[in-house]
Amino acid sequence: MSTRQTTTDPLSRVEDRISHRFTDRSLLEQALTHASALNNTQTGGSYQRLEFLGDRVLGLAVATMLHRNFPRADEGELARRLNQLVKRETCAEIAQDLKLGDAMRISQSEAQTGGRQKTALLADICEAVIAAIYLDAGMATAEDFVRRQWEPRMMTFSGPLRDAKTTLQEWAQARSLPAPTYDVVDRSGPDHAPVFIVAVHVERHAPAEGSGSSKRIAEQAAAEAMLRREGVWSE
């Protein structure tokens, strides 16, 4: 595959970081294009269709990798490991590592509200790039990209294999208690970097709080705080 001479070209820098040179470079350009960068006469060309495909390619590639590396794990453990690896936060971390946000085509207004650092957008762009690689060079090349980026996280993951909210709900049910409830206690920070504080309530137990950049993350943090306080999860 031929190399390009223009090292200052943003797309070339992305290709360097992802270790793939595109035959059809328009795929990479589309993967990095936010709808806000398109004018009113354009009906396509954003990352969204690619993100839809990339989500499926990523899931299959990671599932295959887990099946190969954890031959003794049952279906439940494999599913929990998969969820940890393909969740939005992990995809966004990889997008940050590859500096995909720097190469995104977004409107000035979107950029001014922190679009290049938004977790959801970075995660979507990451999946769109996976789809672009898949369409450009096939599944084997896409799997190779996923392996390089996700395998280190797969092999070093040491957290709980069950998410905190599910574990807390099962813990409450085992004690014949109603399901936990969650309330947003506070929201602070700018729109592009919000901080939520959420309290979780379980009957006959004191509430516990957690914080995060979204309500979902804060709920997980609150559930984890209660699980650790009650000795269900150790430090």
Side-chain angles (χ1 to χ4, degrees):
M1 193 174 296
S2 62
T3 58
R4 294 183 172 87
Q5 300 300 317
T6 311
T7 57
T8 57
D9 176 9
L11 294 184
S12 290
R13 292 199 294 270
V14 172
E15 289 177 320
D16 289 340
R17 291 193 289 269
I18 67 176
S19 300
H20 176 70
R21 294 289 173 184
F22 280 81
T23 300
D24 182 359
R25 225 177 181 208
S26 67
L27 289 167
L28 178 59
E29 185 172 5
Q30 181 181 348
L32 295 169
T33 299
H34 188 266
S36 66
L38 304 174
N39 61 48
N40 293 332
T41 64
Q42 293 173 292
T43 58
S46 78
Y47 71 83
Q48 291 172 317
R49 282 175 55 86
L50 289 176
E51 182 270 328
F52 169 82
L53 177 60
D55 177 67
R56 277 72 185 171
V57 175
L58 173 62
L60 178 58
V62 171
T64 302
M65 192 166 61
L66 289 168
H67 187 270
R68 182 185 306 121
N69 284 276
F70 297 94
R72 297 184 179 180
D74 63 18
E75 183 271 344
E77 179 182 337
L78 291 174
R80 290 187 288 272
R81 288 184 181 275
L82 176 70
N83 290 338
Q84 287 291 332
L85 289 168
V86 302
K87 66 181 182 179
R88 175 186 297 176
E89 292 76 20
T90 304
C91 293
E93 287 173 6
I94 289 169
Q96 290 174 327
D97 290 346
L98 296 171
K99 300 180 181 179
L100 298 182
D102 295 348
M104 273 196 288
R105 293 179 61 217
I106 58 177
S107 67
Q108 184 176 0
S109 60
E110 182 69 24
Q112 288 174 342
T113 59
R116 296 185 190 278
Q117 293 82 40
K118 289 180 179 177
T119 297
L121 181 50
L122 286 170
D124 288 349
I125 291 289
C126 183
E127 291 177 339
V129 168
I130 292 170
I133 295 171
Y134 166 73
L135 293 174
D136 189 66
M139 189 64 189
T141 302
E143 283 186 313
D144 186 57
F145 169 77
V146 171
R147 179 188 56 77
R148 291 196 308 272
Q149 301 301 324
W150 269 262
E151 188 173 53
R153 288 169 169 81
M154 178 186 72
M155 301 308 296
T156 59
F157 176 71
S158 59
L161 289 175
R162 309 182 74 184
D163 74 87
K165 287 184 66 177
T166 300
T167 302
L168 184 61
Q169 181 168 332
E170 292 176 352
W171 179 80
Q173 288 174 342
R175 286 155 180 77
S176 300
L177 299 173
T181 59
Y182 297 84
D183 296 317
V184 176
V185 175
D186 188 36
R187 183 196 184 283
S188 60
D191 288 341
H192 70 274
V195 176
F196 292 87
I197 298 177
V198 167
V200 60
H201 305 270
V202 175
E203 190 175 289
R204 300 204 301 267
H205 292 79
E209 292 186 355
S211 63
S213 58
S214 70
K215 287 189 288 186
R216 182 169 62 88
I217 295 173
E219 287 173 354
Q220 289 286 353
E224 180 176 345
M226 181 169 284
L227 289 168
R228 294 192 184 283
R229 189 190 69 199
E230 298 299 325
V232 181
W233 282 0
S234 59
E235 294 295 336

